[in-house]
Amino acid sequence: MGATGQNVLCGLEDGPSGSELAREGLFTAAMACQAGRIVGLVHRGSSVPAGDTPDPPDRFRPAADGWNPPVDRRAAASGAQRELYDAVRADAALMGALAGLTEASRQAPRAPVHGGLRLDRFHLHASGLRLAGGTRLRSADPAQDIGAFVGEWLDRSLRAADGAGTGAAGPAAPAGEHEAERAYRCCAAFWNGYRATLDTDEGLAGRAVGYAGRHLLDRALAESGGRARPRVPDRAAVGLARRILLAPEAFGEALGLTAPGWEAVLLPAAGRYRAG
């Protein structure tokens, strides 16, 4: 890939991970800005390793027989996973939005993307953050990596507002508010760091917002494994994902990809779905 991209990836995973730092409240906006710069350097690379592969199949991919996510191909899928999947499949507007995101992504400028971006892929070393796990590096829409970072913080804020997934309202609310504000600051700093490394196409922020919404669907399915019924935060994630995917242009500001406004979506959504 050259000095602008591949050299920011490391194979070592020593040092505390970004997810560990986030759990302890130690992942700062400055770290998020550095993470954005690192991802921008990856995306700025001019090529990908041999064996470049196309985008992986969509978890909610349109197919001749309807929707065909992995949950439908696993005999061990839980009742909660099937319930959430059926709800998405029955929602024509949401299915259309997912298909529209996929099509917009196919038409977008491509770049080398990490393909497995998560907070636990970042590790703190003496020299700063390093990004591990470049084995899935491929040519794809860079919005996928950005949306994965934003979506993970969004999911964290929803679950913190719901008492870390307990479904209990009350004392968890202040913690949820703090996590929501921290999520906004980290997402905004990531975006600013990213844009400092390269020029972005006009539709990148909107597609990244869409992928953040899709990340919420992925997490809701994953968190519902082994459960008979979906928990409150998983239903909340699906509900918020729907709002985001149906109107991504309305959420860029709230998710830190333009200007301040985190209160507009994170706290009201968490409270609304916790009560429901």
Side-chain angles (χ1 to χ4, degrees), residues 233-254:
D234 301 320
R235 295 181 186 277
V238 172
L240 182 54
R242 185 182 194 277
R243 293 174 59 201
I244 290 172
L245 282 158
L246 291 183
E249 68 284 351
F251 287 90
E253 180 177 323

PDB file of all heavy atoms in Angstrom, residues 233-254:
ATOM      1  N   PRO A 233     -32.604  -2.904  25.404  1.00  0.00           N
ATOM      2  CA  PRO A 233     -31.610  -2.180  24.608  1.00  0.00           C
ATOM      3  C   PRO A 233     -31.481  -2.701  23.185  1.00  0.00           C
ATOM      4  O   PRO A 233     -31.127  -1.942  22.274  1.00  0.00           O
ATOM      5  CB  PRO A 233     -30.303  -2.377  25.394  1.00  0.00           C
ATOM      6  CG  PRO A 233     -30.546  -3.546  26.277  1.00  0.00           C
ATOM      7  CD  PRO A 233     -31.993  -3.517  26.607  1.00  0.00           C
ATOM      8  N   ASP A 234     -31.775  -3.978  22.963  1.00  0.00           N
ATOM      9  CA  ASP A 234     -31.710  -4.505  21.602  1.00  0.00           C
ATOM     10  C   ASP A 234     -32.873  -3.992  20.760  1.00  0.00           C
ATOM     11  O   ASP A 234     -32.704  -3.659  19.582  1.00  0.00           O
ATOM     12  CB  ASP A 234     -31.696  -6.037  21.636  1.00  0.00           C
ATOM     13  CG  ASP A 234     -30.510  -6.572  22.424  1.00  0.00           C
ATOM     14  OD1 ASP A 234     -29.419  -5.992  22.291  1.00  0.00           O
ATOM     15  OD2 ASP A 234     -30.690  -7.543  23.172  1.00  0.00           O
ATOM     16  N   ARG A 235     -34.047  -3.909  21.362  1.00  0.00           N
ATOM     17  CA  ARG A 235     -35.181  -3.291  20.661  1.00  0.00           C
ATOM     18  C   ARG A 235     -34.898  -1.808  20.399  1.00  0.00           C
ATOM     19  O   ARG A 235     -35.248  -1.270  19.344  1.00  0.00           O
ATOM     20  CB  ARG A 235     -36.461  -3.447  21.474  1.00  0.00           C
ATOM     21  CG  ARG A 235     -36.938  -4.884  21.648  1.00  0.00           C
ATOM     22  CD  ARG A 235     -38.240  -4.924  22.445  1.00  0.00           C
ATOM     23  NE  ARG A 235     -38.661  -6.265  22.749  1.00  0.00           N
ATOM     24  CZ  ARG A 235     -39.339  -7.057  21.919  1.00  0.00           C
ATOM     25  NH1 ARG A 235     -39.675  -6.616  20.717  1.00  0.00           N
ATOM     26  NH2 ARG A 235     -39.700  -8.274  22.284  1.00  0.00           N
ATOM     27  N   ALA A 236     -34.273  -1.157  21.377  1.00  0.00           N
ATOM     28  CA  ALA A 236     -33.937   0.254  21.213  1.00  0.00           C
ATOM     29  C   ALA A 236     -32.986   0.442  20.051  1.00  0.00           C
ATOM     30  O   ALA A 236     -33.126   1.380  19.260  1.00  0.00           O
ATOM     31  CB  ALA A 236     -33.313   0.800  22.500  1.00  0.00           C
ATOM     32  N   ALA A 237     -32.008  -0.451  19.935  1.00  0.00           N
ATOM     33  CA  ALA A 237     -31.030  -0.349  18.856  1.00  0.00           C
ATOM     34  C   ALA A 237     -31.697  -0.498  17.494  1.00  0.00           C
ATOM     35  O   ALA A 237     -31.401   0.245  16.557  1.00  0.00           O
ATOM     36  CB  ALA A 237     -29.945  -1.409  19.033  1.00  0.00           C
ATOM     37  N   VAL A 238     -32.614  -1.441  17.383  1.00  0.00           N
ATOM     38  CA  VAL A 238     -33.320  -1.625  16.106  1.00  0.00           C
ATOM     39  C   VAL A 238     -34.180  -0.406  15.800  1.00  0.00           C
ATOM     40  O   VAL A 238     -34.226   0.068  14.652  1.00  0.00           O
ATOM     41  CB  VAL A 238     -34.176  -2.909  16.149  1.00  0.00           C
ATOM     42  CG1 VAL A 238     -35.070  -3.004  14.908  1.00  0.00           C
ATOM     43  CG2 VAL A 238     -33.284  -4.142  16.235  1.00  0.00           C
ATOM     44  N   GLY A 239     -34.865   0.119  16.807  1.00  0.00           N
ATOM     45  CA  GLY A 239     -35.706   1.289  16.574  1.00  0.00           C
ATOM     46  C   GLY A 239     -34.904   2.501  16.135  1.00  0.00           C
ATOM     47  O   GLY A 239     -35.299   3.226  15.214  1.00  0.00           O
ATOM     48  N   LEU A 240     -33.766   2.729  16.786  1.00  0.00           N
ATOM     49  CA  LEU A 240     -32.937   3.869  16.410  1.00  0.00           C
ATOM     50  C   LEU A 240     -32.283   3.640  15.054  1.00  0.00           C
ATOM     51  O   LEU A 240     -32.167   4.569  14.252  1.00  0.00           O
ATOM     52  CB  LEU A 240     -31.884   4.118  17.480  1.00  0.00           C
ATOM     53  CG  LEU A 240     -30.962   5.319  17.256  1.00  0.00           C
ATOM     54  CD1 LEU A 240     -31.763   6.597  17.036  1.00  0.00           C
ATOM     55  CD2 LEU A 240     -30.016   5.483  18.443  1.00  0.00           C
ATOM     56  N   ALA A 241     -31.878   2.403  14.780  1.00  0.00           N
ATOM     57  CA  ALA A 241     -31.308   2.087  13.464  1.00  0.00           C
ATOM     58  C   ALA A 241     -32.306   2.417  12.358  1.00  0.00           C
ATOM     59  O   ALA A 241     -31.933   2.949  11.305  1.00  0.00           O
ATOM     60  CB  ALA A 241     -30.917   0.618  13.401  1.00  0.00           C
ATOM     61  N   ARG A 242     -33.558   2.119  12.585  1.00  0.00           N
ATOM     62  CA  ARG A 242     -34.589   2.415  11.586  1.00  0.00           C
ATOM     63  C   ARG A 242     -34.679   3.904  11.321  1.00  0.00           C
ATOM     64  O   ARG A 242     -34.715   4.351  10.171  1.00  0.00           O
ATOM     65  CB  ARG A 242     -35.943   1.881  12.051  1.00  0.00           C
ATOM     66  CG  ARG A 242     -37.042   2.040  11.008  1.00  0.00           C
ATOM     67  CD  ARG A 242     -38.382   1.534  11.538  1.00  0.00           C
ATOM     68  NE  ARG A 242     -39.328   1.397  10.445  1.00  0.00           N
ATOM     69  CZ  ARG A 242     -40.053   2.395   9.949  1.00  0.00           C
ATOM     70  NH1 ARG A 242     -39.935   3.615  10.471  1.00  0.00           N
ATOM     71  NH2 ARG A 242     -40.886   2.180   8.940  1.00  0.00           N
ATOM     72  N   ARG A 243     -34.701   4.697  12.397  1.00  0.00           N
ATOM     73  CA  ARG A 243     -34.779   6.153  12.227  1.00  0.00           C
ATOM     74  C   ARG A 243     -33.578   6.670  11.437  1.00  0.00           C
ATOM     75  O   ARG A 243     -33.720   7.521  10.560  1.00  0.00           O
ATOM     76  CB  ARG A 243     -34.837   6.827  13.599  1.00  0.00           C
ATOM     77  CG  ARG A 243     -36.091   6.565  14.403  1.00  0.00           C
ATOM     78  CD  ARG A 243     -35.978   7.159  15.800  1.00  0.00           C
ATOM     79  NE  ARG A 243     -35.744   8.596  15.752  1.00  0.00           N
ATOM     80  CZ  ARG A 243     -35.219   9.296  16.741  1.00  0.00           C
ATOM     81  NH1 ARG A 243     -34.828   8.677  17.853  1.00  0.00           N
ATOM     82  NH2 ARG A 243     -35.047  10.607  16.632  1.00  0.00           N
ATOM     83  N   ILE A 244     -32.416   6.166  11.752  1.00  0.00           N
ATOM     84  CA  ILE A 244     -31.197   6.633  11.087  1.00  0.00           C
ATOM     85  C   ILE A 244     -31.184   6.232   9.620  1.00  0.00           C
ATOM     86  O   ILE A 244     -30.895   7.044   8.735  1.00  0.00           O
ATOM     87  CB  ILE A 244     -29.962   6.075  11.815  1.00  0.00           C
ATOM     88  CG1 ILE A 244     -29.820   6.740  13.183  1.00  0.00           C
ATOM     89  CG2 ILE A 244     -28.698   6.275  10.987  1.00  0.00           C
ATOM     90  CD1 ILE A 244     -28.743   6.127  14.055  1.00  0.00           C
ATOM     91  N   LEU A 245     -31.516   4.979   9.337  1.00  0.00           N
ATOM     92  CA  LEU A 245     -31.435   4.493   7.960  1.00  0.00           C
ATOM     93  C   LEU A 245     -32.493   5.122   7.061  1.00  0.00           C
ATOM     94  O   LEU A 245     -32.265   5.300   5.861  1.00  0.00           O
ATOM     95  CB  LEU A 245     -31.568   2.966   7.945  1.00  0.00           C
ATOM     96  CG  LEU A 245     -30.298   2.231   8.361  1.00  0.00           C
ATOM     97  CD1 LEU A 245     -30.604   0.830   8.852  1.00  0.00           C
ATOM     98  CD2 LEU A 245     -29.310   2.188   7.192  1.00  0.00           C
ATOM     99  N   LEU A 246     -33.651   5.474   7.629  1.00  0.00           N
ATOM    100  CA  LEU A 246     -34.696   6.094   6.814  1.00  0.00           C
ATOM    101  C   LEU A 246     -34.403   7.557   6.513  1.00  0.00           C
ATOM    102  O   LEU A 246     -34.914   8.103   5.539  1.00  0.00           O
ATOM    103  CB  LEU A 246     -36.054   5.969   7.500  1.00  0.00           C
ATOM    104  CG  LEU A 246     -36.653   4.557   7.586  1.00  0.00           C
ATOM    105  CD1 LEU A 246     -38.025   4.602   8.218  1.00  0.00           C
ATOM    106  CD2 LEU A 246     -36.708   3.904   6.211  1.00  0.00           C
ATOM    107  N   ALA A 247     -33.593   8.209   7.349  1.00  0.00           N
ATOM    108  CA  ALA A 247     -33.287   9.626   7.122  1.00  0.00           C
ATOM    109  C   ALA A 247     -31.858   9.928   7.560  1.00  0.00           C
ATOM    110  O   ALA A 247     -31.635  10.709   8.493  1.00  0.00           O
ATOM    111  CB  ALA A 247     -34.285  10.511   7.866  1.00  0.00           C
ATOM    112  N   PRO A 248     -30.858   9.333   6.909  1.00  0.00           N
ATOM    113  CA  PRO A 248     -29.468   9.534   7.352  1.00  0.00           C
ATOM    114  C   PRO A 248     -29.028  10.991   7.294  1.00  0.00           C
ATOM    115  O   PRO A 248     -28.211  11.422   8.108  1.00  0.00           O
ATOM    116  CB  PRO A 248     -28.658   8.653   6.390  1.00  0.00           C
ATOM    117  CG  PRO A 248     -29.546   8.440   5.211  1.00  0.00           C
ATOM    118  CD  PRO A 248     -30.936   8.435   5.749  1.00  0.00           C
ATOM    119  N   GLU A 249     -29.585  11.748   6.361  1.00  0.00           N
ATOM    120  CA  GLU A 249     -29.184  13.147   6.227  1.00  0.00           C
ATOM    121  C   GLU A 249     -29.565  13.971   7.457  1.00  0.00           C
ATOM    122  O   GLU A 249     -28.993  15.033   7.710  1.00  0.00           O
ATOM    123  CB  GLU A 249     -29.817  13.763   4.976  1.00  0.00           C
ATOM    124  CG  GLU A 249     -31.327  13.929   5.008  1.00  0.00           C
ATOM    125  CD  GLU A 249     -32.116  12.656   4.805  1.00  0.00           C
ATOM    126  OE1 GLU A 249     -31.502  11.623   4.455  1.00  0.00           O
ATOM    127  OE2 GLU A 249     -33.348  12.688   4.981  1.00  0.00           O
ATOM    128  N   ALA A 250     -30.517  13.485   8.236  1.00  0.00           N
ATOM    129  CA  ALA A 250     -30.969  14.221   9.420  1.00  0.00           C
ATOM    130  C   ALA A 250     -30.128  13.926  10.657  1.00  0.00           C
ATOM    131  O   ALA A 250     -30.325  14.569  11.690  1.00  0.00           O
ATOM    132  CB  ALA A 250     -32.433  13.873   9.717  1.00  0.00           C
ATOM    133  N   PHE A 251     -29.185  12.983  10.554  1.00  0.00           N
ATOM    134  CA  PHE A 251     -28.470  12.540  11.739  1.00  0.00           C
ATOM    135  C   PHE A 251     -26.977  12.829  11.709  1.00  0.00           C
ATOM    136  O   PHE A 251     -26.277  12.532  12.677  1.00  0.00           O
ATOM    137  CB  PHE A 251     -28.691  11.032  11.943  1.00  0.00           C
ATOM    138  CG  PHE A 251     -30.068  10.697  12.430  1.00  0.00           C
ATOM    139  CD1 PHE A 251     -31.089  10.451  11.519  1.00  0.00           C
ATOM    140  CD2 PHE A 251     -30.358  10.639  13.777  1.00  0.00           C
ATOM    141  CE1 PHE A 251     -32.356  10.152  11.956  1.00  0.00           C
ATOM    142  CE2 PHE A 251     -31.625  10.346  14.223  1.00  0.00           C
ATOM    143  CZ  PHE A 251     -32.644  10.100  13.317  1.00  0.00           C
ATOM    144  N   GLY A 252     -26.467  13.390  10.638  1.00  0.00           N
ATOM    145  CA  GLY A 252     -25.042  13.669  10.578  1.00  0.00           C
ATOM    146  C   GLY A 252     -24.583  14.581  11.695  1.00  0.00           C
ATOM    147  O   GLY A 252     -23.560  14.344  12.342  1.00  0.00           O
ATOM    148  N   GLU A 253     -25.351  15.630  11.959  1.00  0.00           N
ATOM    149  CA  GLU A 253     -25.001  16.566  13.024  1.00  0.00           C
ATOM    150  C   GLU A 253     -25.064  15.892  14.380  1.00  0.00           C
ATOM    151  O   GLU A 253     -24.158  16.029  15.213  1.00  0.00           O
ATOM    152  CB  GLU A 253     -25.947  17.767  12.982  1.00  0.00           C
ATOM    153  CG  GLU A 253     -25.678  18.801  14.057  1.00  0.00           C
ATOM    154  CD  GLU A 253     -26.601  20.011  13.924  1.00  0.00           C
ATOM    155  OE1 GLU A 253     -26.907  20.409  12.782  1.00  0.00           O
ATOM    156  OE2 GLU A 253     -27.007  20.543  14.965  1.00  0.00           O
ATOM    157  N   ALA A 254     -26.115  15.121  14.631  1.00  0.00           N
ATOM    158  CA  ALA A 254     -26.291  14.480  15.929  1.00  0.00           C
ATOM    159  C   ALA A 254     -25.223  13.442  16.212  1.00  0.00           C
ATOM    160  O   ALA A 254     -24.902  13.178  17.370  1.00  0.00           O
ATOM    161  CB  ALA A 254     -27.676  13.826  15.999  1.00  0.00           C
TER     162      ALA A 254
END
